[in-house]
Amino acid sequence: MPTNQDPTNSLDVGGARALRVTRDGGVTTLALGPIGGPVEIEIVIGVAGPVVRVHAAQLELTTRGPLALSCEDFHLHARGNIELRAEGDLRQLVAGDLECVAAGDVRLDGKAMRARARRGELRLEAHDDVRIDGEKVLLNS
């Protein structure tokens, strides 16, 4: 990331990798990667604060204690599958609407289940039949 304004300072960190520091106006960039190759870790320090970018084959975070993420908006995109696993409870608390859309089937399975509309209607819609199977089906009880 050399610039015309300030030459790149480079430090060989071993493993055929170098740490490059560039300055362009009020922006300083620290970039780590293979010598002559693509950037793997980049920290761009500008007026608004630091921006950290990681380009890696794999990224693992491990902690013995809590992991907290706090941000304005959170976007997660996986080209493959996503699996959330909790050995304890999982709670979703949403101040606004919650929308779940699947191109395939949706399955919910639990020891007991409850759906409640605190205000307004509860609507079930199906293109085909609606089936209710239970030991007893109680309406308005």
Side-chain angles (χ1 to χ4, degrees):
M1 298 185 192
T3 65
N4 293 333
Q5 294 182 3
D6 192 15
T8 300
N9 296 316
S10 183
L11 172 65
D12 185 341
V13 295
R17 284 181 167 61
L19 176 63
R20 297 178 294 278
V21 179
T22 58
R23 290 186 180 86
D24 186 0
V27 177
T28 301
T29 301
L30 292 86
L32 178 68
I35 296 171
V39 172
E40 295 171 331
I41 300 172
E42 179 180 48
I43 302 172
V44 180
I45 304 167
V47 177
V51 175
V52 179
R53 295 183 183 101
V54 178
H55 307 276
Q58 186 171 327
L59 181 63
E60 295 181 11
L61 299 174
T62 302
T63 176
R64 287 186 291 279
L67 173 64
L69 301 173
S70 178
C71 60
E72 183 68 29
D73 292 310
F74 184 76
H75 302 270
L76 174 66
H77 177 133
R79 288 182 299 278
N81 299 323
I82 295 176
E83 179 176 322
L84 297 177
R85 185 178 298 238
E87 292 182 16
D89 296 335
L90 173 65
R91 294 177 51 120
Q92 292 178 316
L93 305 173
V94 181
D97 295 339
L98 174 64
E99 180 177 356
C100 297
V101 178
D105 293 345
V106 175
R107 291 177 291 285
L108 300 174
D109 185 351
K111 183 174 84 175
M113 298 183 75
R114 177 181 182 169
R116 177 180 66 155
R118 287 191 311 271
R119 289 181 124 5
E121 66 181 357
L122 175 65
R123 179 184 293 186
L124 299 174
E125 295 180 18
H127 177 71
D128 291 322
D129 297 337
V130 175
R131 298 176 191 271
I132 301 174
D133 294 321
E135 203 170 291
K136 291 182 183 179
V137 177
L138 307 171
L139 299 175
N140 295 325
S141 58

